[in-house]
């Protein structure tokens, strides 16, 4: 599993921090509220028990033969409190339904010493508060106060605080997401500028006024791009000048070689063989210089115009001695907004590559939709080995990939590199796939051409 992105990590950090903080605050708030409510309820229960105990004690002492049940029933305890009296035996307002079992032994022993006691107990699954008030003659008055209502209130409070904590965590994540958008915005601008420069738009720069806090970064980036552009321009000019200067002597050599070639029949065998080698090498040298000159121009942006790509592909096939019927159009219009010169050379190089290494092109397929235009050239050669697929688009790959199934000594090693450069000038991509049934399929995707 890959490492999460910076935005995801920052967002997660904000969310986790907000969750921990909100849970801590919720826990503290719950404990404070719980203690306060229980203390208040305990004080109220003790006061009520004292009051009821006084009534019971008066009812017993003022009557030599007291009816304890009647005395207990005279108490106004409501539905939440239960009164029990221990005087030689247990007395209650009604039949004992387990009330005395809820009174802990330790509380009974504590009350037997003549001291008031209070203890929280579990009465049949419901929390309750038992208050023990010693009376005269060894009697002890117990009042069991149900805490069900308070327990329900505390449960609701815990649920509300938990939901608030989760909501705070969500708000923290949202804040983190927005914060990363602000923080990453300058980096996104740098990435966009770098992408434009890579696509050939050398004038792309960052505006220092957009992010005053990052003016130093912006200035350094622009300076770096200026230096890089100047160096690329010098290299391009040097390559172009060298190629241009080589064309004149090459033309002279080609003319001389042509004369030798026409008179090869009059030469002896060794001289004719040497003349043939010279002619081939001069021709190859000319193609290499032309490719280098073309390569020096590929850094310029594409000169887009409306081009009938299907007719351009058919004409290229005719020029290469191929049947124009191998060009098929699969849906979409054939008028694409592309650089005609680059697309023409793209077709030339792919067809040359198919003829030289793939047994000839079998189909040129054009596809267009709202997202991208696609050119595919199929051949019936041996295909391209997986290890050579990412290499064949590099310059002079022929010299570095002698193990390739498509490598030999006849090409300049720049044809497919020019194809990749022309695709990149259109913000497109170039890749090679395995053709179903054998052979290779060269695919060029060109976005935003309609």
């Amino acid at each position: 599993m890959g490492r999460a992105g910076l935005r995801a990590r920052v967002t997660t950090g904000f969310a986790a921090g907000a969750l921990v903080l909100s849970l801590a605050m919720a826990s503290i708030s719950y404990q404070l509220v719980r203690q306060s409510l229980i203390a208040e309820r305990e004080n109220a229960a003790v006061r009520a028990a004292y009051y009821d105990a006084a009534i019971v004690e008066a009812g017993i002492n003022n009557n030599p033969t007291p009816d304890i049940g009647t005395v207990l029933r005279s108490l106004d305890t409501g539905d939440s409190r239960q009164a029990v009296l221990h005087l030689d035996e247990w007395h209650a307002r009604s039949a004992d339904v387990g009330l005395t079992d809820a009174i802990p032994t330790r509380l009974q022993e504590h009350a037997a010493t003549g001291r008031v006691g209070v203890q929280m107990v579990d009465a049949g699954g419901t929390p309750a508060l038992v208050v023990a008030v010693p009376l005269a003659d060894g009697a002890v008055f117990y009042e069991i106060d149900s805490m069900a209502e308070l327990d329900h209130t505390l449960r609701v409070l815990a649920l509300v605080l938990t939901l608030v904590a989760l909501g705070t965590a969500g708000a923290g994540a949202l804040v983190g997401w927005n914060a990363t958008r602000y923080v990453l915005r300058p980096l996104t601008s740098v990435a966009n500028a770098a992408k434009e420069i890579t696509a050939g738009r050398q004038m792309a720069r960052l505006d220092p006024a957009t992010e005053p806090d990052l003016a130093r970064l912006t200035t350094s980036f622009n300076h770096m791009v200026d230096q890089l552009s100047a160096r690329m321009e010098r290299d391009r000019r040097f390559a172009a000048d060298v190629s241009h200067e080589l064309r004149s002597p090459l033309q002279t050599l080609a003319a001389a070689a042509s004369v030798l070639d026409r008179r090869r029949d009059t030469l002896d065998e060794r001289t004719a063989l040497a003349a043939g080698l010279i002619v081939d090498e001069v021709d190859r040298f000319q193609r290499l210089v032309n490719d280098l000159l073309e390569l020096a121009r590929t850094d310029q942006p594409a000169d887009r115009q409306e081009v009938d790509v299907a007719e351009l592909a058919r004409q290229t096939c005719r020029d290469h001695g191929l049947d124009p019927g191998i060009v098929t159009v699969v849906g979409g219009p054939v008028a694409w907004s592309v650089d005609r010169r680059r697309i023409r050379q793209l077709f030339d190089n792919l067809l040359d590559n198919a003829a030289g290494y793939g047994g000839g092109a079998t189909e040129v397929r054009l596809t267009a939709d709202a997202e991208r235009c696609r050119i595919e050239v199929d051949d019936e050669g041996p295909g391209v080995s997986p290890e050579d697929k990412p290499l064949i688009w590099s310059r002079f790959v022929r010299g570095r990939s002698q193990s390739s199934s498509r490598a030999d000594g006849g090409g300049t090693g720049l044809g497919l590199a020019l194809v990749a450069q022309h695709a990149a000038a259109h913000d497109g991509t170039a890749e090679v796939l395995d053709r179903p049934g054998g052979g290779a399929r060269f695919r060029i995707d060109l976005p935003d051409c309609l």
Side-chain angles (χ1 to χ4, degrees):
M1 180 181 294
R3 188 180 183 186
L6 178 60
R7 174 170 293 181
R9 282 182 283 153
V10 172
T11 302
T12 303
F14 268 81
L19 181 61
V20 171
L21 182 61
S22 57
L23 284 178
M25 295 299 296
S27 178
I28 293 173
S29 301
Y30 176 80
Q31 292 298 331
L32 291 176
V33 173
R34 181 176 181 274
Q35 292 175 5
S36 175
L37 291 177
I38 290 178
E40 183 179 349
R41 186 61 177 272
E42 183 177 318
N43 291 334
V46 170
R47 287 196 300 271
Y50 269 119
Y51 179 77
D52 292 339
I55 295 176
V56 170
E57 188 172 32
I60 295 174
N61 294 336
N62 294 334
N63 192 339
T65 57
D67 184 353
I68 297 177
T70 301
V71 173
L72 292 176
R73 282 191 291 272
S74 67
L75 299 176
D76 184 14
T77 57
D79 298 331
S80 62
R81 289 183 288 138
Q82 299 291 333
V84 178
L85 180 66
H86 184 264
L87 179 59
D88 298 330
E89 59 181 345
W90 291 101
H91 301 274
R93 301 172 61 177
S94 58
D96 191 343
V97 290
L99 291 176
T100 54
D101 295 338
I103 301 174
T105 304
R106 292 186 58 183
L107 182 62
Q108 296 178 33
E109 295 173 351
H110 179 80
T113 61
R115 293 179 293 174
V116 175
V118 180
Q119 186 172 346
M120 187 77 74
V121 299
D122 182 2
T126 303
L129 189 68
V130 181
V131 181
V133 181
L135 303 179
D137 300 329
V140 179
F141 176 75
Y142 296 95
E143 197 160 78
I144 304 171
D145 193 351
S146 175
M147 305 286 282
E149 183 180 353
L150 178 60
D151 182 66
H152 176 72
T153 301
L154 292 176
R155 288 176 185 272
V156 172
L157 177 63
L159 177 61
V160 171
L161 290 177
T162 301
L163 293 177
V164 170
L166 294 177
T168 303
L174 185 62
V175 171
W177 180 265
N178 288 328
T180 52
R181 286 184 58 190
Y182 176 78
V183 172
L184 294 178
R185 189 164 56 192
L187 299 181
T188 303
S189 300
V190 172
N192 292 336
K195 184 178 179 180
E196 292 185 15
I197 293 169
T198 303
R201 291 182 281 275
Q202 301 293 331
M203 300 306 295
R205 296 292 186 274
L206 297 177
D207 184 4
T210 304
E211 298 289 345
D213 295 336
L214 300 176
R216 185 177 178 183
L217 172 64
T218 303
T219 304
S220 299
F221 177 83
N222 290 340
H223 179 69
M224 179 192 69
V225 174
D226 290 339
Q227 296 296 320
L228 183 61
S229 298
R231 182 171 181 176
M232 292 175 62
E233 180 63 18
R234 288 196 300 271
D235 293 344
R236 189 189 66 79
R237 286 181 179 276
F238 176 76
D241 292 344
V242 169
S243 301
H244 181 73
E245 293 300 323
L246 285 175
R247 297 181 79 175
S248 295
L250 270 176
Q251 288 176 350
T252 303
L253 284 174
S258 176
V259 172
L260 287 175
D261 189 48
R262 286 196 299 270
R263 297 182 178 180
R264 189 184 301 181
D265 295 338
T266 64
L267 301 176
D268 60 80
E269 183 179 355
R270 295 184 59 184
T271 305
L273 178 61
L277 292 175
I278 291 174
V279 171
D280 292 341
E281 289 303 314
V282 168
D283 178 66
R284 181 180 175 186
F285 197 9
Q286 276 190 310
R287 286 187 285 115
L288 177 60
V289 169
N290 290 334
D291 285 347
L292 285 173
L293 191 58
E294 186 63 33
L295 202 59
R297 301 171 181 167
T298 56
D299 291 336
Q300 302 299 318
D303 181 18
R304 291 178 180 265
Q305 53 186 295
E306 291 292 327
V307 177
D308 187 339
V309 181
E311 181 54 33
L312 182 62
R314 295 188 186 100
Q315 183 58 47
T316 308
C317 287
R318 293 188 194 97
D319 295 343
H320 284 256
L322 298 173
D323 180 5
I326 66 171
V327 177
T328 60
V329 179
V330 185
V334 295
W336 297 359
S337 176
V338 294
D339 187 323
R340 182 184 184 85
R341 180 184 61 82
R342 291 175 184 268
I343 297 302
R344 166 64 197 226
Q345 188 171 38
L346 188 149
F347 282 130
D348 278 332
N349 290 2
L350 289 179
L351 294 178
D352 283 342
N353 180 76
Y357 311 115
T362 59
E363 184 178 7
V364 177
R365 190 167 39 260
L366 306 176
T367 310
D369 56 33
E371 296 182 355
R372 50 104 182 95
C373 297
R374 172 172 290 174
I375 299 171
E376 290 179 323
V377 177
D378 292 351
D379 64 38
E380 52 184 3
V384 182
S385 59
E387 60 270 20
D388 286 336
K389 285 181 179 176
L391 302 176
I392 62 174
W393 306 104
S394 302
R395 299 174 182 177
F396 303 112
V397 68
R398 171 186 51 76
R400 297 195 303 271
S401 180
Q402 292 300 327
S403 61
S404 170
S405 59
R406 291 186 169 238
D408 71 5
T412 64
L414 295 175
L416 293 182
L418 281 171
V419 171
Q421 290 286 345
H422 291 330
H426 291 81
D427 296 328
T429 58
E431 60 178 339
V432 58
L433 309 171
D434 294 329
R435 183 175 71 89
R441 171 171 293 170
F442 288 82
R443 173 178 291 173
I444 312 299
D445 282 336
L446 307 174
D448 303 326
C449 290
L450 295 181

